[in-house]
Amino acid sequence: MFTRTLLCLALASPWALADSPAQALHQRLIVLDSHLDTPMQLARPGWDITQRHRYQDDLSQVDLPRMKEGGLDGGFWAIFTPQGPLTAEGRTLASEHGLAVLARIRDLLGAHPDDFALALTAGDVPAIVARGQRVVFISMENAQPLAADPARLHTYYRQGLRMLGLVHSANNDFADSATALPQWRGLSPAGRELVAEANRLGILLDVSHASDQVFDQVLALSRAPIIASHSSSRAITAHPRNLDDRRLRQLAARGGVVQVNSFPSDLINLAPNPERDKALGPLYREFRLAASMSPEQVSDLAERIRQVEARYPQPRASLDDYLRHLLHILEVVGPDHVGIGADWDGGGGVQGLEDVAQLPRITQRLLAAGYSEADLAKIWGGNLLRVLDAAQAVGAGLPAKGR
């Protein structure tokens, strides 16, 4: 691990990629990200995914021009629902929100059929990429939209859902979050049934954001391999969202995959800064409503966030920090069980890796660290497709509920 890390960090100029062998290789690979929060952008008035945007202007990190530049062929587009109260009203609001985001993704596909295509199986991907389209798998981050009626999982499945993240940053009706005090001591009874039903449908189970107990229980209960769609290494940074080496090995032993996250606070240890947190908290809550804002309002919000960050500076996570996590996890479980889930448009991105246009930098650094083209093919998409295929194969072999 130490030798590969030094090689990777010692590159003199990680930014010069134009016409390089690394860039050419990157563009040849099928490159998928397992966690794109870009559906949050799609409802913004006047925001066009086919036009190039800048993070500095509108806080977006993914659009069609930048996907092409960065060689990103697509991935899992998340139906993310912020966690609300565990009440009848809260469950209804979550249900409505989830269906609205699903409709947003389906509208993207309908509005841009030449540029984006729905994928339902791993086998769909090569043909989509060969046609020059971007791959749209559908995932769910936070299963709370199902709390009012768990049978609605079948509705989402019929509309294309192929990955299910059980919980987000607060406990829900199904599971405990990694960043909340335990409520269920892992999965709730409804959560256990949801795991079983996802297995029956061949939906890939995602344990990112889940507590350690949830991780352990899902790994034990699931008949299929599971995924952590956007997580990093607890051995490097002791954040509760990250996975420790023992659990990484357990995940790999069951055929699973960890997709490495670029969320800055997961990558580096930061000293407490309550004044900064107090100032940024309302702005981040405002950002969750950005879909209802005009471009001018979003630009103003971005500027206010920059002003707070300048007023209360703290160390910035960098591409080197990201590579420390990625290389460590690769050393722990090997290139058959690692992928990329950077959390674009959901808070991911670090200095030197600010948006998807810069993804080839990861390829360059991994090549310098001694990983082969075959390894990179697995890391950039092969492992993700393999674990999805395995989940669907398990589902095909299980009897339907009630039989």
Side-chain angles (χ1 to χ4, degrees), residues 97-223:
H97 181 89
L99 291 172
V101 180
L102 173 63
R104 211 176 291 164
I105 298 170
R106 298 293 309 212
D107 286 347
L108 166 72
L109 294 162
H112 304 288
D114 294 334
D115 297 316
F116 298 92
L118 180 67
L120 300 176
T121 71
D124 294 337
V125 170
I128 292 172
V129 173
R131 293 195 299 266
Q133 298 165 299
R134 304 293 135 169
V135 175
V136 178
F137 283 111
I138 299 176
S139 63
M140 181 179 287
E141 181 180 31
N142 187 9
Q144 194 63 13
L146 306 173
D149 180 11
R152 190 165 285 174
L153 181 64
H154 291 253
T155 301
Y156 280 96
Y157 176 79
R158 288 192 293 270
Q159 292 297 316
L161 184 74
R162 293 299 182 267
M163 185 194 298
L164 177 62
L166 296 172
V167 67
H168 190 242
S169 59
N171 301 336
N172 64 15
D173 282 298
F174 300 105
D176 289 335
S177 170
T179 48
L181 294 174
Q183 177 179 349
W184 304 107
R185 296 184 179 178
L187 293 167
S188 71
R192 290 174 177 270
E193 179 52 38
L194 190 64
V195 166
E197 194 60 22
N199 276 175
R200 284 190 282 265
L201 290 172
I203 294 174
L204 182 59
L205 285 160
D206 177 14
V207 291
S208 285
H209 284 287
S211 71
D212 287 348
Q213 286 180 299
V214 171
F215 177 98
D216 296 342
Q217 291 167 16
V218 173
L219 193 67
L221 290 170
S222 178
R223 305 282 292 273

Side-chain angles (χ1 to χ4, degrees), residues 47-344:
W47 196 86
D48 185 350
I49 198 169
T50 66
Q51 301 299 310
R52 188 183 183 92
H53 302 264
R54 294 197 319 154
Y55 180 80
Q56 297 91 324
D57 297 331
D58 65 5
L59 303 175
S60 73
Q61 296 170 301
V62 179
D63 54 43
L64 186 60
R66 284 182 287 180
M67 291 177 80
K68 291 179 178 179
E69 182 178 335
L72 180 61
D73 292 303
F76 277 88
W77 301 62
I79 300 169
F80 165 64
T81 302
Q83 184 58 49
L86 302 184
T87 62
E89 182 181 9
R91 294 179 186 99
T92 298
L93 290 173
S95 177
E96 293 173 351
H97 181 89
L99 291 172
V101 180
L102 173 63
R104 211 176 291 164
I105 298 170
R106 298 293 309 212
D107 286 347
L108 166 72
L109 294 162
H112 304 288
D114 294 334
D115 297 316
F116 298 92
L118 180 67
L120 300 176
T121 71
D124 294 337
V125 170
I128 292 172
V129 173
R131 293 195 299 266
Q133 298 165 299
R134 304 293 135 169
V135 175
V136 178
F137 283 111
I138 299 176
S139 63
M140 181 179 287
E141 181 180 31
N142 187 9
Q144 194 63 13
L146 306 173
D149 180 11
R152 190 165 285 174
L153 181 64
H154 291 253
T155 301
Y156 280 96
Y157 176 79
R158 288 192 293 270
Q159 292 297 316
L161 184 74
R162 293 299 182 267
M163 185 194 298
L164 177 62
L166 296 172
V167 67
H168 190 242
S169 59
N171 301 336
N172 64 15
D173 282 298
F174 300 105
D176 289 335
S177 170
T179 48
L181 294 174
Q183 177 179 349
W184 304 107
R185 296 184 179 178
L187 293 167
S188 71
R192 290 174 177 270
E193 179 52 38
L194 190 64
V195 166
E197 194 60 22
N199 276 175
R200 284 190 282 265
L201 290 172
I203 294 174
L204 182 59
L205 285 160
D206 177 14
V207 291
S208 285
H209 284 287
S211 71
D212 287 348
Q213 286 180 299
V214 171
F215 177 98
D216 296 342
Q217 291 167 16
V218 173
L219 193 67
L221 290 170
S222 178
R223 305 282 292 273
I226 65 175
I227 190 171
S229 71
H230 55 302
S231 296
S232 293
S233 166
R234 197 177 299 176
I236 303 297
T237 305
H239 193 288
R241 271 209 54 216
N242 292 339
L243 296 177
D244 59 55
D245 287 357
R246 179 173 66 84
R247 287 184 171 85
L248 287 171
R249 293 187 181 99
Q250 290 173 335
L251 181 73
R254 291 287 306 278
V257 177
V258 55
Q259 306 278 124
V260 183
N261 184 23
S262 70
F263 200 88
S265 62
D266 296 350
L267 301 181
I268 59 175
N269 292 306
L270 297 173
N273 194 334
E275 291 182 333
R276 176 187 170 98
D277 295 342
K278 183 179 179 180
L280 284 175
L283 299 181
Y284 287 152
R285 288 192 291 273
E286 194 175 337
F287 174 68
R288 290 183 174 183
L289 304 174
S292 62
M293 296 180 185
S294 68
E296 293 76 19
Q297 289 172 319
V298 173
S299 180
D300 175 69
L301 174 60
E303 177 59 28
R304 285 184 284 137
I305 290 173
R306 281 195 292 271
Q307 290 174 1
V308 171
E309 290 175 339
R311 193 180 316 137
Y312 304 105
Q314 65 181 11
R316 291 186 63 191
S318 68
L319 179 60
D320 286 350
D321 296 312
Y322 180 75
L323 264 292
R324 287 188 185 95
H325 284 260
L326 179 57
L327 288 170
H328 176 79
I329 294 172
L330 280 164
E331 289 292 338
V332 171
V333 297
D336 288 337
H337 300 283
V338 181
I340 307 295
D343 209 356
W344 298 118

